[in-house]
Structures are given as C-alpha cells and as structure tokens.
Amino acid sequence: MSAPPSSRRAPKNGGLRRFTQPAPPREERCELCAAVLDDGAHRHLVDVERRVLACACTPCALLFAKSGAAGGRFRAVPDRYLTDPGLRLDDTTWELLQIPVGVAFFFRNAALDRYVALYPSPAGATESELEPSVWQSVLSGSRLAAVLEPDVEALLFHRTEGRVDCHLVPIDICYELVGRMRLLWQGFDGGAEARAALADFFAHVESRVTSVDRVARP
C-alpha cells in the first residue's frame, strides 16, 4: 500500500530554519583555563614556541607577566604605549627599509635573537626580506628599541607626508591592524574605508602614548 500523499510532502521551511539561521555568538574563553572572558577587551599571551597569540583572562595573564614564568613558553603582552620625542626619521631613512606601504612594525624574536619586520597587506602580515643589519642600523639609536620587550612588544612605524612616526606598542594591536586591513583592503591603495580605519587606529595610539622619558622598564 502506498503512503498517503500528505506523508510524502517535503518538509516546510520551518523544519530547516535551525540550519539556516546564523549561529549564536560563542562565548570567548581563556585559552589556558577556559574561563569565560568579558565582552570587552581582554589580555593576550604570546606562545613563543608556536608564534601565535592566545586569549587570556586577567589572572592567567598575570601569571605570565614576568619573563621565564612557567618555563617561558607563554609571555603576557604588556599594555604600554611609548614614544620618543627625540626620535626623528625622514623619508631617506624610510627608503632604506624598503617597505612598500606606509605602515610597518618590528619586534625582536628572542629565539632568533634578531628583529623581524612585518607590514600589513591584502594577504595579511608580510615579512620584509631586507637584511637585518639594515634594520639594526635604523633602530639602534632609538631609546624605544632599548626598552623593547622581545616577542610581546613592537616598534610601530607610520609614514605620512614628510614624516615618519614611531611608537612602542603591544604586539597584539599590530596584528589587530593587520587583520583589519586585510578585511577592508580594496584596490591598489586600500580604498577609503581602509584609510579611514587606519587613521582611527593611529589616533587611538596617539591618545595613549607616553614619553619614554617618564617610564621605566617593566
């Protein structure tokens, strides 16, 4: 006996709704202890073995605030923004670095014992292939380079017309900028939306920086 016609009908759309509706946002959790993180900003750790960032709650971040804690695999990213009023870089110096865009950041890789230079691009963070000796010659005279914490802080350069600004910043915000540029980049020069986001980002950095003269090494 054949089944009643009504039993062979296709399911109504309501039966598939749970598969087509956007999934509810997942709670962000600390990647060490699995504690739920606040909706606002939270701390990050650098996994120096895997070279990745890990989200962390405040107690876990404090455990790794000192270099060498728990074997040295994780290091907490500090929350300081510094500038050196006496540092002056011009277009000639920038040309030595051969960075094709107006933004770059340098950090000291403790395992390699040298600077690594990266800049944002449509493909993400792109590493400069310039000889490290050139970076060293440019950065060696900077007091910011003298207090830079390896792996967790970066020297962030921003070139505008006739001027190159340099700030010491937490390394996680550099990768945040890379992600934002990758998301917004359009065309050859990035497009208006990417330029606006870049301006907002550096306005935020400028609002937080303190002179290196007024602070000590953490």
Side-chain angles (χ1 to χ4, degrees), residues 151-168:
D151 299 315
V152 293
E153 293 181 321
L155 298 181
L156 177 65
F157 287 82
H158 182 208
R159 181 190 189 185
T160 53
E161 294 183 6
R163 172 179 173 180
V164 181
D165 294 319
C166 176
H167 303 303
L168 184 152

Side-chain angles (χ1 to χ4, degrees), residues 105-120:
F105 62 97
F106 296 73
F107 73 93
R108 190 161 193 86
N109 184 313
L112 300 177
D113 192 28
R114 66 173 177 85
Y115 285 107
V116 175
L118 300 167
Y119 56 90

Side-chain angles (χ1 to χ4, degrees), residues 39-52:
D39 291 337
H42 56 262
R43 301 289 299 275
H44 289 102
L45 305 175
V46 173
D47 184 333
V48 296
E49 292 182 5
R50 298 172 56 213
R51 310 307 309 176
V52 296

